[in-house]
Amino acid sequence: MSAPVEVVLCADSAGQLFNCAVFDPHSGSEFLSYRGGNTSSRSLTVLNGEYILGAQLGKNFINVWEIQRKDQLQQKIVCPGIVTCLCASPDGLCVLAGIAEAIYLWEVSEEMGFGHQEILHCFSVMEFNSVSSHFICPCVSIWLSFSSLVVQLDSSRIPEPLHILSRHSLPITDIHCGLMGPQARVATASLDQTVKVWEISSGEMLLSVLFDVGIMSVTFDPCEYFLFCGGSDGNIFQVSLCSTSIKRDKTFQTDSDGNQVFKGHRNLVTCLSVSMDGTLLLSGSNDETVRMWDVQSKQCIWSINHKGPVTNAAIIPAPANMFLADSHPAVPLPRFSRHLNPSEQGDGTSSGGMCLRLGANTQEPEGTYLEKADELYSLMCAVTDKSVFGDGENTKVRVSELEEEVKTLKKINKDLYEFSTQLLTKPN
């Protein structure tokens, strides 16, 4: 059998059967599995088609496997803190990680890292564009990537983000960058129940779609005819971007123009990915399943059960070395520096580095990283509770019950007050 053109790469939070695994996108059969640890959400990536990198859940290191050697013990890259999101550039030159309140960007070939410490946000997702010239991260900010920057020996020169996109009112849950390089469009999903589409080159918002649930994941099809949005209620919403009646601000409604809903998941949808021909849609969910859908018919083709909530799931081009057991990476993986200046690590060498900072208009003087993380967690829990208990008749019944309970308590309080008054005012 010939090697597949595309494969499915996915992981769950339990890690009982494997850390991550590779499946056939058409049949769902398992090709390879990589063992050791478990990978946190949105932190599984392929570097240059030769290594799989996955940030260990709740730990301060990254697991690394050579992509064709499934039975090996994974390597570990120690980081300055817990990695909350991780991605590699499509050209294989850079690795980007969100650690606490900083972004770390390493150029793999030169072992150079640079980050910024001024952003008071808990990073949960970042992404490169298709030609590795820009990367996008919450707030949302668009930056030139390392491969497009001229490294300055003068450390006083601080690069600024090209655009700061700040139309969302609640934390951003997912980012997806389309094709077309510097002219690409970016989709952002948020707990504020909207998905917004932006243009990288100008930073202009092109479209905002309002849903009745929080959106946890988002992706385009390769031709960008459709936008797929994973809801906190388990539904996947397909939004047509080619409708003649499309407006800049719209509310999602199903119709015959391509706005449809995929139904099947029982909990919030954490991951979405579309095949290169646009016919297959992959989804992962907190209901511990990965599903493959036929985009045209909206039917589920196959489903794989995991041992925990699915944290990562993507359809990727099959690396050339994945099914060649005797092959080895062309370039060994270098050591990742944990400081901007390697002299801080005591190795005596020096290299240029730059500090990436957001403008003053986006910095918040109050709040620590832990407070921001707690706030994000509480918002996520609120959205999850809403998706479980619903907004329909069940909620109305519960509200009525609580109102009756309040009336009862008020009556008891009134009776106690009258009894106490009579007791105190009673003549001896």
Side-chain angles (χ1 to χ4, degrees):
M1 183 181 69
S2 60
V5 177
E6 292 180 303
V7 294
V8 171
L9 179 64
C10 59
D12 60 54
S13 61
Q16 295 182 16
L17 301 178
F18 44 72
N19 184 304
C20 58
V22 178
F23 298 91
D24 186 335
H26 299 286
S27 65
S29 57
E30 182 180 318
F31 286 141
L32 301 168
S33 62
Y34 303 85
R35 302 182 185 278
N38 49 356
T39 300
S40 59
S41 179
R42 293 184 174 85
S43 61
L44 185 66
T45 187
V46 176
L47 176 61
N48 201 30
E50 296 182 329
Y51 297 95
I52 293 179
L53 279 64
Q56 176 64 30
L57 181 64
K59 303 291 184 180
N60 66 329
F61 60 85
I62 300 171
N63 295 314
V64 182
W65 298 266
E66 292 182 14
I67 203 163
Q68 78 288 355
R69 299 176 62 191
K70 64 176 181 176
D71 297 325
Q72 67 177 346
L73 294 174
Q74 76 274 25
Q75 305 174 51
K76 290 182 173 63
I77 299 173
V78 180
C79 298
I82 296 175
V83 178
T84 54
C85 52
L86 179 72
C87 65
S89 62
D91 59 14
L93 296 180
C94 303
V95 173
L96 191 66
I99 300 174
E101 299 171 7
I103 298 173
Y104 285 77
L105 178 62
W106 290 281
E107 186 184 37
V108 176
S109 60
E110 297 294 337
E111 300 182 24
M112 295 176 65
F114 58 122
H116 60 85
Q117 306 291 337
E118 303 295 329
I119 301 181
L120 300 178
H121 289 272
C122 178
F123 290 104
S124 58
V125 57
M126 291 184 289
E127 179 142 338
F128 279 95
N129 69 339
S130 59
V131 296
S132 310
S133 62
H134 300 72
F135 65 87
I136 303 98
C137 64
C139 299
V140 178
S141 302
I142 299 175
W143 303 78
L144 282 172
S145 78
F146 188 93
S147 57
S148 299
L149 288 170
V150 179
V151 179
Q152 303 291 329
L153 296 179
D154 182 7
S155 60
S156 62
R157 181 173 179 178
I158 302 173
E160 295 289 335
L162 296 182
H163 306 292
I164 298 175
L165 318 175
S166 55
R167 297 286 191 91
H168 286 292
S169 58
L170 289 177
I172 292 167
T173 55
D174 197 12
I175 297 172
H176 179 75
C177 188
L179 304 178
M180 301 303 292
Q183 302 299 322
R185 293 184 287 183
V186 177
T188 57
S190 172
L191 292 178
D192 64 9
Q193 302 185 352
T194 66
V195 170
K196 301 184 188 296
V197 179
W198 316 80
E199 185 178 56
I200 282 186
S201 58
S202 65
E204 180 184 0
M205 189 186 77
L206 305 177
L207 175 67
S208 178
V209 185
L210 176 64
F211 299 86
D212 58 1
V213 295
I215 302 299
M216 313 306 295
S217 53
V218 66
T219 191
F220 291 117
D221 71 318
C223 295
E224 299 185 10
Y225 292 154
F226 298 106
L227 183 68
F228 298 95
C229 311
S232 58
D233 60 351
N235 289 331
I236 303 170
F237 306 97
Q238 175 183 295
V239 181
S240 174
L241 300 178
C242 300
S243 173
T244 56
S245 60
I246 196 166
K247 301 177 182 178
R248 185 170 180 174
D249 295 278
K250 62 176 293 185
T251 301
F252 178 83
Q253 292 181 334
T254 57
D255 55 33
S256 59
D257 292 333
N259 298 307
Q260 302 293 330
V261 180
F262 297 75
K263 296 180 179 290
H265 285 298
R266 302 182 304 277
N267 207 328
L268 57 89
V269 179
T270 56
C271 323
L272 289 173
S273 183
V274 182
S275 63
M276 190 54 70
D277 61 5
T279 61
L280 300 176
L281 172 66
L282 179 74
S283 63
S285 170
N286 273 9
D287 66 7
E288 304 183 2
T289 65
V290 171
R291 294 175 180 266
M292 185 68 76
W293 308 82
D294 178 73
V295 172
Q296 184 67 30
S297 65
K298 312 293 182 295
Q299 298 299 310
C300 180
I301 300 173
W302 53 257
S303 176
I304 298 174
N305 293 320
H306 285 251
K307 295 297 184 179
V310 178
T311 55
N312 299 268
I315 301 174
I316 62 172
N321 296 335
M322 177 170 282
F323 302 100
L324 300 177
D326 297 331
S327 65
H328 295 279
V331 179
L333 189 70
R335 176 177 56 87
F336 282 25
S337 299
R338 285 188 281 171
H339 302 274
L340 293 180
N341 188 352
S343 62
E344 298 176 17
Q345 305 180 93
D347 56 12
T349 60
S350 62
S351 62
M354 288 181 291
C355 183
L356 305 183
R357 301 175 188 272
L358 284 181
N361 61 325
T362 64
Q363 297 189 21
E364 302 175 21
E366 71 282 356
T368 65
Y369 166 70
L370 291 177
E371 290 171 349
K372 294 289 181 179
D374 289 340
E375 181 182 358
L376 176 59
Y377 178 76
S378 62
L379 286 169
M380 295 279 283
C381 290
V383 170
T384 303
D385 292 342
K386 183 178 176 181
S387 67
V388 172
F389 295 111
D391 295 324
E393 294 300 324
N394 290 338
T395 303
K396 294 180 180 179
V397 171
R398 181 58 178 159
V399 169
S400 299
E401 292 175 351
L402 292 173
E403 288 176 346
E404 290 296 327
E405 187 173 350
V406 168
K407 290 180 181 178
T408 303
L409 291 173
K410 284 183 177 180
K411 185 178 184 302
I412 293 173
N413 185 63
K414 182 180 179 182
D415 293 341
L416 285 172
Y417 176 78
E418 292 177 350
F419 174 77
S420 301
T421 301
Q422 292 175 3
L423 188 65
L424 293 172
T425 58
K426 183 177 180 181
N428 293 328

Short mmCIF file of all heavy atoms in Angstrom, two decimals, residues 303-331:
data_model
loop_
_atom_site.label_atom_id
_atom_site.label_comp_id
_atom_site.label_asym_id
_atom_site.label_seq_id
_atom_site.Cartn_x
_atom_site.Cartn_y
_atom_site.Cartn_z
N SER A 303 -15.43 7.45 13.98
CA SER A 303 -15.21 8.06 15.29
C SER A 303 -14.23 7.19 16.07
O SER A 303 -14.30 5.97 16.03
CB SER A 303 -16.53 8.18 16.07
OG SER A 303 -16.31 8.67 17.37
N ILE A 304 -13.29 7.83 16.77
CA ILE A 304 -12.30 7.12 17.59
C ILE A 304 -12.49 7.55 19.04
O ILE A 304 -12.52 8.75 19.34
CB ILE A 304 -10.87 7.43 17.13
CG1 ILE A 304 -10.65 6.95 15.69
CG2 ILE A 304 -9.85 6.77 18.06
CD1 ILE A 304 -9.30 7.34 15.13
N ASN A 305 -12.62 6.58 19.93
CA ASN A 305 -12.78 6.86 21.35
C ASN A 305 -11.41 6.95 22.02
O ASN A 305 -10.55 6.09 21.82
CB ASN A 305 -13.61 5.77 22.03
CG ASN A 305 -15.05 5.76 21.56
OD1 ASN A 305 -15.65 6.81 21.36
ND2 ASN A 305 -15.61 4.58 21.37
N HIS A 306 -11.23 7.99 22.82
CA HIS A 306 -10.00 8.17 23.60
C HIS A 306 -10.30 7.93 25.07
O HIS A 306 -11.45 7.74 25.47
CB HIS A 306 -9.45 9.58 23.38
CG HIS A 306 -8.79 9.76 22.04
ND1 HIS A 306 -7.43 9.90 21.88
CD2 HIS A 306 -9.32 9.82 20.80
CE1 HIS A 306 -7.15 10.04 20.60
NE2 HIS A 306 -8.27 10.00 19.92
N LYS A 307 -9.26 7.97 25.88
CA LYS A 307 -9.38 7.74 27.32
C LYS A 307 -9.51 9.03 28.12
O LYS A 307 -9.60 9.00 29.34
CB LYS A 307 -8.18 6.94 27.83
CG LYS A 307 -8.08 5.54 27.27
CD LYS A 307 -9.26 4.68 27.68
CE LYS A 307 -9.10 3.25 27.19
NZ LYS A 307 -10.24 2.39 27.61
N GLY A 308 -9.52 10.16 27.43
CA GLY A 308 -9.65 11.45 28.10
C GLY A 308 -10.06 12.50 27.07
O GLY A 308 -10.15 12.23 25.87
N PRO A 309 -10.34 13.72 27.53
CA PRO A 309 -10.70 14.80 26.60
C PRO A 309 -9.62 14.99 25.55
O PRO A 309 -8.42 14.96 25.84
CB PRO A 309 -10.80 16.02 27.52
CG PRO A 309 -11.12 15.46 28.87
CD PRO A 309 -10.41 14.16 28.94
N VAL A 310 -10.04 15.18 24.31
CA VAL A 310 -9.10 15.36 23.20
C VAL A 310 -8.52 16.77 23.26
O VAL A 310 -9.25 17.76 23.26
CB VAL A 310 -9.79 15.12 21.85
CG1 VAL A 310 -8.83 15.35 20.69
CG2 VAL A 310 -10.35 13.70 21.80
N THR A 311 -7.20 16.86 23.32
CA THR A 311 -6.52 18.16 23.45
C THR A 311 -5.98 18.66 22.12
O THR A 311 -5.84 19.87 21.93
CB THR A 311 -5.36 18.06 24.45
OG1 THR A 311 -4.48 17.00 24.04
CG2 THR A 311 -5.89 17.77 25.84
N ASN A 312 -5.65 17.75 21.20
CA ASN A 312 -5.09 18.14 19.91
C ASN A 312 -5.58 17.18 18.84
O ASN A 312 -5.62 15.97 19.05
CB ASN A 312 -3.56 18.09 19.93
CG ASN A 312 -2.93 19.03 20.95
OD1 ASN A 312 -2.61 20.16 20.64
ND2 ASN A 312 -2.79 18.55 22.19
N ALA A 313 -5.97 17.71 17.69
CA ALA A 313 -6.36 16.88 16.55
C ALA A 313 -6.21 17.71 15.29
O ALA A 313 -6.74 18.82 15.22
CB ALA A 313 -7.81 16.38 16.70
N ALA A 314 -5.48 17.19 14.31
CA ALA A 314 -5.24 17.95 13.08
C ALA A 314 -4.99 17.01 11.93
O ALA A 314 -4.43 15.91 12.10
CB ALA A 314 -4.05 18.89 13.25
N ILE A 315 -5.41 17.41 10.74
CA ILE A 315 -5.06 16.73 9.50
C ILE A 315 -3.83 17.44 8.95
O ILE A 315 -3.85 18.64 8.71
CB ILE A 315 -6.21 16.79 8.47
CG1 ILE A 315 -7.47 16.14 9.05
CG2 ILE A 315 -5.80 16.09 7.18
CD1 ILE A 315 -8.69 16.28 8.15
N ILE A 316 -2.73 16.69 8.77
CA ILE A 316 -1.48 17.28 8.31
C ILE A 316 -0.96 16.52 7.10
O ILE A 316 -1.29 15.34 6.91
CB ILE A 316 -0.41 17.27 9.42
CG1 ILE A 316 -0.08 15.82 9.83
CG2 ILE A 316 -0.88 18.07 10.63
CD1 ILE A 316 1.10 15.70 10.78
N PRO A 317 -0.15 17.16 6.23
CA PRO A 317 0.52 16.41 5.16
C PRO A 317 1.42 15.35 5.77
O PRO A 317 2.12 15.60 6.76
CB PRO A 317 1.34 17.49 4.43
CG PRO A 317 0.69 18.78 4.80
CD PRO A 317 0.15 18.60 6.19
N ALA A 318 1.40 14.14 5.20
CA ALA A 318 2.19 13.05 5.74
C ALA A 318 3.68 13.33 5.51
O ALA A 318 4.11 13.47 4.37
CB ALA A 318 1.81 11.74 5.08
N PRO A 319 4.49 13.48 6.58
CA PRO A 319 5.93 13.71 6.40
C PRO A 319 6.57 12.57 5.63
O PRO A 319 6.19 11.40 5.77
CB PRO A 319 6.45 13.78 7.83
CG PRO A 319 5.27 14.16 8.66
CD PRO A 319 4.09 13.50 7.99
N ALA A 320 7.56 12.91 4.81
CA ALA A 320 8.19 11.91 3.93
C ALA A 320 8.85 10.79 4.73
O ALA A 320 8.88 9.64 4.29
CB ALA A 320 9.21 12.60 3.03
N ASN A 321 9.37 11.10 5.92
CA ASN A 321 10.11 10.10 6.70
C ASN A 321 9.24 9.30 7.65
O ASN A 321 9.74 8.40 8.32
CB ASN A 321 11.21 10.78 7.51
CG ASN A 321 12.26 11.42 6.63
OD1 ASN A 321 12.45 11.01 5.50
ND2 ASN A 321 12.94 12.43 7.16
N MET A 322 7.95 9.59 7.73
CA MET A 322 7.12 8.98 8.76
C MET A 322 7.05 7.47 8.64
O MET A 322 7.03 6.75 9.66
CB MET A 322 5.72 9.59 8.72
CG MET A 322 4.75 8.98 9.72
SD MET A 322 3.20 9.88 9.85
CE MET A 322 3.69 11.24 10.90
N PHE A 323 7.03 6.94 7.42
CA PHE A 323 6.86 5.50 7.21
C PHE A 323 8.14 4.83 6.74
O PHE A 323 8.11 3.71 6.22
CB PHE A 323 5.72 5.26 6.22
CG PHE A 323 4.42 5.86 6.67
CD1 PHE A 323 3.98 7.06 6.15
CD2 PHE A 323 3.65 5.24 7.64
CE1 PHE A 323 2.79 7.64 6.57
CE2 PHE A 323 2.47 5.81 8.08
CZ PHE A 323 2.03 7.00 7.54
N LEU A 324 9.30 5.51 6.92
CA LEU A 324 10.60 4.94 6.57
C LEU A 324 11.36 4.68 7.86
O LEU A 324 11.94 5.60 8.45
CB LEU A 324 11.38 5.89 5.65
CG LEU A 324 10.70 6.24 4.32
CD1 LEU A 324 11.54 7.25 3.55
CD2 LEU A 324 10.48 4.98 3.48
N ALA A 325 11.37 3.44 8.32
CA ALA A 325 11.93 3.11 9.62
C ALA A 325 13.42 3.36 9.71
O ALA A 325 13.97 3.60 10.79
CB ALA A 325 11.62 1.65 9.97
N ASP A 326 14.13 3.29 8.58
CA ASP A 326 15.59 3.43 8.59
C ASP A 326 16.07 4.86 8.40
O ASP A 326 17.27 5.11 8.44
CB ASP A 326 16.21 2.55 7.49
CG ASP A 326 15.92 1.07 7.71
OD1 ASP A 326 15.77 0.68 8.90
OD2 ASP A 326 15.85 0.32 6.72
N SER A 327 15.17 5.78 8.20
CA SER A 327 15.59 7.17 7.95
C SER A 327 15.86 7.88 9.27
O SER A 327 15.38 7.48 10.33
CB SER A 327 14.52 7.91 7.16
OG SER A 327 13.34 8.03 7.92
N HIS A 328 16.63 8.96 9.18
CA HIS A 328 16.96 9.76 10.35
C HIS A 328 16.84 11.24 9.99
O HIS A 328 16.97 11.61 8.82
CB HIS A 328 18.38 9.45 10.84
CG HIS A 328 18.56 8.04 11.33
ND1 HIS A 328 18.18 7.64 12.58
CD2 HIS A 328 19.05 6.94 10.71
CE1 HIS A 328 18.44 6.35 12.74
NE2 HIS A 328 18.98 5.90 11.61
N PRO A 329 16.59 12.10 10.98
CA PRO A 329 16.49 13.52 10.68
C PRO A 329 17.77 14.05 10.04
O PRO A 329 18.88 13.67 10.41
CB PRO A 329 16.27 14.15 12.07
CG PRO A 329 15.68 13.06 12.89
CD PRO A 329 16.30 11.80 12.39
N ALA A 330 17.60 14.91 9.05
CA ALA A 330 18.75 15.49 8.36
C ALA A 330 19.53 16.43 9.27
O ALA A 330 20.75 16.55 9.15
CB ALA A 330 18.28 16.23 7.10
N VAL A 331 18.83 17.11 10.18
CA VAL A 331 19.47 18.05 11.09
C VAL A 331 19.11 17.65 12.52
O VAL A 331 17.94 17.50 12.84
CB VAL A 331 19.01 19.49 10.81
CG1 VAL A 331 19.66 20.46 11.78
CG2 VAL A 331 19.31 19.88 9.37
#
